[in-house]
Amino acid sequence: SSAKRPDRKSVFTEYVNKRRLKYLLSLNKSEFKALFWDNDETVDRGGKKINVHDYIRQVQKYCARLLLPIHGGDDPEWALSKQGYSCRTGADGCREYVRGFGYQGMQGTLRKFLMADRYWDIDQVTSFPSLFKWRAEEVLGTDAKIPMLGDYVADPDGIRTRHGFAKTDFLMV
């Protein structure tokens, strides 16, 4: 029997700094590549290699679209983008992916630049350990010694590989 795919759709509002959108549009391809292209982050969620020129075109279209009056209204500083996300089922259950181009499809440097101080990128692989570490430091102080927790949050893949445990093993502790 085949399992039914959940028919779950979410919509999130992305806040984007208009001044930064305009700045990105003012850059030529060489400047953009020098400032925002990360050669180590060139695989999309489908496992395909990202072409830098296609990526720059996507970013330019995204920026131009968000500068249209419909996305910013009267707010002089922030553009709002309603992004649809769809559930895709796989070995790990349901994972939500943005439909079209949005924050999720951007490389980290660009995402952080555009979001200014309105966004925290919490990787779901390390979300519980990250929140646990933050709360422990809040309660016990930043000098609290919690063996391997900081190392795990900084390099989850490396720690799992070195010690031979899976993503979900931390949750069983």
Side-chain angles (χ1 to χ4, degrees):
S1 75
S2 64
K4 276 192 162 185
R5 179 179 158 185
D7 188 25
R8 194 168 94 193
K9 294 181 179 123
S10 301
V11 176
F12 294 94
T13 301
E14 298 177 346
Y15 292 83
V16 189
N17 184 285
K18 287 181 180 178
R19 187 173 37 80
R20 292 175 185 219
L21 289 169
K22 291 173 187 173
Y23 173 74
L24 287 174
L25 287 172
S26 75
L27 299 174
N28 64 40
K29 288 182 182 183
S30 297
E31 292 168 329
F32 180 92
K33 191 174 175 182
L35 293 168
F36 296 104
W37 180 251
D38 182 350
N39 283 321
D40 295 330
E41 202 178 326
T42 61
V43 177
D44 73 4
R45 65 180 175 248
K48 295 180 214 143
K49 189 132 171 101
I50 299 169
N51 175 295
V52 65
H53 301 292
D54 292 341
Y55 179 72
I56 291 171
R57 272 194 298 276
Q58 281 185 307
V59 170
Q60 289 170 334
K61 283 171 53 177
Y62 176 82
C63 292
R65 180 177 61 85
L66 288 185
L67 287 171
L68 295 172
I70 192 169
H71 294 288
D74 295 330
D75 191 326
E77 191 174 354
W78 297 99
L80 307 177
S81 175
K82 299 254 187 229
Q83 291 292 108
Y85 283 71
S86 294
C87 176
R88 292 190 190 161
T89 46
D92 294 338
C94 178
R95 179 162 181 194
E96 296 208 19
Y97 289 98
V98 69
R99 291 191 308 265
F101 188 79
Y103 282 159
Q104 189 181 50
M106 294 177 190
Q107 290 187 337
T109 305
L110 179 60
R111 199 170 43 239
K112 290 171 189 153
F113 172 76
L114 278 177
M115 293 180 230
D117 60 351
R118 290 217 172 207
Y119 179 81
W120 294 271
D121 190 2
I122 300 174
D123 184 349
Q124 291 303 302
V125 171
T126 60
S127 62
F128 180 74
S130 294
L131 293 170
F132 185 77
K133 179 180 179 286
W134 168 77
R135 183 65 178 142
E137 288 175 349
E138 187 176 79
V139 171
L140 303 172
T142 55
D143 294 333
K145 302 291 181 218
I146 306 170
M148 284 183 37
L149 185 57
D151 294 339
Y152 181 81
V153 170
D155 182 22
D157 294 331
I159 295 296
R160 283 195 308 273
T161 299
R162 278 194 294 282
H163 297 281
F165 61 92
K167 294 176 185 179
T168 55
D169 288 344
F170 184 88
L171 300 174
M172 291 186 236
V173 174

